[in-house]
Amino acid sequence: MKESMFCFQCEQTAGCSGCSGAKGVCGKTASTAALQDELTSALIGLAKACSNNPKTKSTDRLILEGLFTTVTNVNFNETTLKEMICRIRKEKEAIVPGCSVCAAPCGNTSEYPLENIWEADEDIRSLKSLLLFGIRGMAAYAYHAMILGYTNSEVTEFFYKALNILSFDLPMEELLPVVMEAGKANLAAMELLHTANREQFGIPAPTSVSLTVEKGPFIVITGHDLYDLKLLLEQTNGKGINIYTHGEMLPAHAYPLLKKYSHLKGNYGTAWQNQQKEFDCLPAPILYTTNCIMPVKDSYKDRVFTTGVVSYPGMETIGDEKDFTPVIKKALELGGYEEDKHFTGINGGTELTTGFGVESVLATAGPVIDAVKSGDIRHFYLVGGCDGARPGRNYYTEFVKNAPKDSIILTLACGKFRFNDLDLGDIKGIPRLLDVGQCNDAYSAIQIASALSEAFDCGINELPLSFILSWYEQKAVCILLTLLHLGIQNIKLGPTLPAFLSENVTNYLVKEFGIAPIRTPEEDY
């Protein structure tokens, strides 16, 4: 495999320009990065093969799994990457027999080397990167919905369209509309997942979550997959094992079907980038359900289990049968803490509150509207997105901590762990800090904004509402594209702008949408 890589898909990419050399900032090696590029090339070939040939549900699933696998912090395992590449090529062969061995190939189903994108004109590279990273993030949402049995033909077909277009030689003016269309397709994907989660797990309600870990055996579950948590709760019920969420699993406590399990006790730890410290010598197993795995340290590698598309060399994988017996055995073997352990959030808080989805917020719409009309609430700030380790993210803590006392903070995704244990008080009984949920719940935040605009009979951009976003990986990219599709103006993005945005593409986004980098909290209020 290659001894050097090129990767600039995440916020922490080296020098704010791109990772190269033997290993990326995320810990991914050059050979792993090359395999992920090869996997993407194979997906493009599969999508091309489906242009004029029938596909199946297994093809659709493989497209989602393949794209999700290449999201940052999902798969570090070259063995499973090679296996997936083989599956993709076999699927293409099944759709177009002989396409991989034809002596005079027509090229209609050929794989497309990603070097053609990385080495293209910088504006073309920028737009194709936006499109590719956008559909990778979108695949995560569609995958979660698919696991629950929900699909959308508009969403599914866009994956094939986008993968095909990545291989086309198109000018900037023809690529731009497709990139914007990705935002529209992702809105449909987020709505699909929103519906799936609520129909399967109930309507989230505001819930206080303890940060204390009780004595005895326990399991920490991280990632995003609520269905995996449901299965784990079922299989541990009555076994004397407590379950604690970590990172983006925190909002699970707000869903009625999940919170009915009394052994779903609380939340352990903070955001994904702190896991190496938080899991160090933890007397319990950790189950990774989706993205957000970091290189595993020796101090806890014997207690890490992965499932779904997550894979890390040497870690035990729970297959599609979802039998969590090995995790349960490990929890009983380790035994947990001998006494209750009291932990705090980053700012010293001892509990967190989550579950302020669109339904809960709209239930208090009357008091909110009255408070705005009376001047008690003067502004709303949506401060959310991915967390990360790069210096500068304390901006979000300071922004929320010092926000005007007559403002409401809406938040979602793991970036909220910078400030979600702060006590900001309330305005006439309305909490000033409202946790909407996971990054997967961005649709709920959009619906809240839409409902407010209807209530005040104005456009979203006319509301006293500011978007202050943090980004790290590709799900944040597709959410940004959705906000742009909706015409939302003056988004502040940080801690840095994406390295894959060329000067011309950046200027276009500034001119058309007023997108800008964060500055200081005082300047951005």
Side-chain angles (χ1 to χ4, degrees):
M1 300 301 294
K2 295 180 179 178
E3 295 181 356
S4 62
M5 67 159 68
F6 173 74
C7 184
F8 62 172
Q9 72 173 358
C10 84
E11 191 272 333
Q12 291 183 176
T13 194
C16 296
S17 59
C19 290
S20 58
K23 183 179 290 188
V25 172
C26 69
K28 178 173 58 182
T29 64
S31 57
T32 301
L35 282 170
Q36 292 190 346
D37 279 1
E38 185 179 344
L39 190 158
T40 305
S41 298
L43 285 173
I44 293 173
L46 177 59
K48 290 163 68 177
C50 294
S51 298
N52 297 304
N53 297 284
K55 55 186 177 60
T56 67
K57 287 184 178 180
S58 67
T59 317
D60 296 342
R61 177 171 183 138
L62 199 51
I63 292 285
L64 293 186
E65 287 185 355
L67 286 170
F68 195 179
T69 292
T70 58
V71 169
T72 304
N73 289 13
V74 172
N75 192 310
F76 292 76
N77 192 337
E78 296 186 15
T79 299
T80 55
L81 288 170
K82 290 174 183 177
E83 290 171 352
M84 181 162 284
I85 292 169
C86 288
R87 288 172 56 202
I88 293 168
R89 288 170 175 162
K90 286 180 180 178
E91 186 75 13
K92 186 174 77 170
E93 178 71 21
I95 291 170
V96 186
C99 66
S100 61
V101 295
C102 180
C106 62
N108 292 338
T109 66
S110 59
E111 297 180 4
Y112 184 76
L114 287 205
E115 287 85 352
N116 292 353
I117 296 178
W118 311 145
E119 297 170 4
D121 166 83
E122 65 173 357
D123 293 329
I124 301 304
R125 181 179 75 169
S126 183
L127 290 173
K128 285 193 174 184
S129 295
L130 261 175
L131 182 59
L132 173 59
F133 303 157
I135 61 173
R136 283 177 174 176
M138 189 172 108
Y141 300 132
Y143 175 89
H144 286 298
M146 177 195 68
I147 292 298
L148 295 174
Y150 293 71
T151 58
N152 177 307
S153 59
E154 173 192 350
V155 172
T156 301
E157 290 307 314
F158 185 78
F159 287 116
Y160 290 91
K161 175 180 179 178
L163 285 167
N164 269 280
I165 284 176
L166 288 172
S167 70
F168 294 170
D169 185 15
L170 298 176
M172 187 174 176
E173 59 269 21
E174 291 185 42
L175 282 172
L176 262 172
V178 185
V179 172
M180 292 298 107
E181 188 182 350
K184 177 183 177 183
N186 185 60
L187 180 64
M190 291 193 299
E191 181 181 12
L192 183 70
L193 180 56
H194 176 91
T195 300
N197 282 339
R198 278 149 176 76
E199 291 186 356
Q200 293 296 312
F201 307 116
I203 305 299
T207 303
S208 294
V209 183
S210 172
L211 299 183
T212 294
V213 176
E214 298 179 12
K215 65 179 181 180
F218 67 98
I219 297 169
V220 173
I221 182 169
T222 189
H224 302 74
D225 201 297
L226 300 179
Y227 184 64
D228 282 340
L229 174 57
K230 172 180 176 288
L231 296 178
L232 181 64
L233 289 168
E234 290 173 348
Q235 293 178 37
T236 51
N237 198 21
K239 290 190 166 117
I241 300 173
N242 291 327
I243 307 299
Y244 293 87
T245 56
H246 175 270
E248 284 274 56
M249 292 300 289
L250 168 66
H253 292 272
Y255 286 92
L257 183 68
L258 301 175
K259 66 192 298 184
K260 75 176 184 179
Y261 290 94
S262 60
H263 61 301
L264 178 59
K265 289 290 185 177
N267 189 76
Y268 173 79
T270 54
W272 66 271
Q273 78 279 359
N274 299 319
Q275 65 188 253
Q276 290 181 327
K277 177 178 66 176
E278 293 171 348
F279 295 163
D280 190 42
C281 302
L282 189 72
I286 307 106
L287 176 64
Y288 288 85
T289 64
T290 54
N291 53 311
C292 296
I293 191 169
M294 288 187 72
V296 179
K297 294 175 63 177
D298 289 344
S299 61
Y300 61 90
K301 69 179 182 181
D302 65 324
R303 58 207 65 186
V304 167
F305 298 83
T306 64
T307 192
V309 295
V310 187
S311 189
Y312 195 87
M315 303 300 104
E316 184 167 353
T317 298
I318 306 299
D320 291 340
E321 74 285 353
K322 299 295 182 181
D323 180 358
F324 295 119
T325 299
V327 190
I328 294 169
K329 287 182 177 179
K330 180 61 73 171
L332 294 172
E333 172 193 325
L334 293 170
Y337 294 113
E338 294 182 358
E339 300 293 339
D340 292 357
K341 296 278 285 187
H342 303 287
F343 296 96
T344 69
I346 289 175
N347 304 284
T350 57
E351 69 174 24
L352 311 174
T353 302
T354 189
F356 289 97
V358 60
E359 301 87 355
S360 298
V361 175
L362 293 189
T364 61
V368 170
I369 293 168
D370 291 342
V372 172
K373 289 181 177 179
S374 67
D376 292 298
I377 296 176
R378 294 189 180 275
H379 209 87
F380 297 87
Y381 294 102
L382 176 59
V383 185
C386 309
D387 205 354
R390 186 192 294 276
R393 289 182 179 268
N394 286 339
Y395 161 95
Y396 299 96
T397 308
E398 295 306 311
F399 187 99
V400 171
K401 186 184 295 185
N402 298 306
K405 302 301 182 184
D406 54 5
S407 65
I408 297 288
I409 308 293
L410 297 167
T411 189
L412 73 158
C414 65
K416 62 174 170 272
F417 281 99
R418 294 273 171 175
F419 50 77
N420 65 343
D421 63 323
L422 290 170
D423 182 2
L424 299 184
D426 64 83
I427 300 175
K428 288 193 169 182
I430 302 164
R432 288 192 57 228
L433 181 59
L434 304 176
D435 177 10
V436 177
Q438 297 179 331
C439 59
N440 295 3
D441 294 309
Y443 181 79
S444 202
I446 290 170
Q447 291 302 100
I448 292 171
S450 297
L452 287 173
S453 69
E454 290 179 12
F456 292 105
D457 193 25
C458 66
I460 290 179
N461 292 316
E462 299 173 272
L463 287 169
L465 170 65
S466 301
F467 289 80
I468 314 294
L469 306 182
S470 59
W471 81 282
Y472 173 72
E473 42 91 299
Q474 296 73 62
K475 286 188 284 183
V477 173
C478 64
I479 290 173
L480 177 63
L481 291 176
T482 292
L483 295 177
L484 299 181
H485 159 71
L486 294 170
I488 293 176
Q489 296 282 324
N490 302 318
I491 296 168
K492 298 289 192 302
L493 185 63
T496 63
L497 291 179
F500 50 81
L501 292 182
S502 67
E503 183 178 354
N504 285 334
V505 172
T506 299
N507 289 340
Y508 169 82
L509 295 177
V510 171
K511 179 181 177 181
E512 295 296 319
F513 302 101
I515 194 168
I518 59 172
R519 297 170 294 181
T520 66
E522 293 74 21
E523 292 176 292
D524 291 338
Y525 289 134

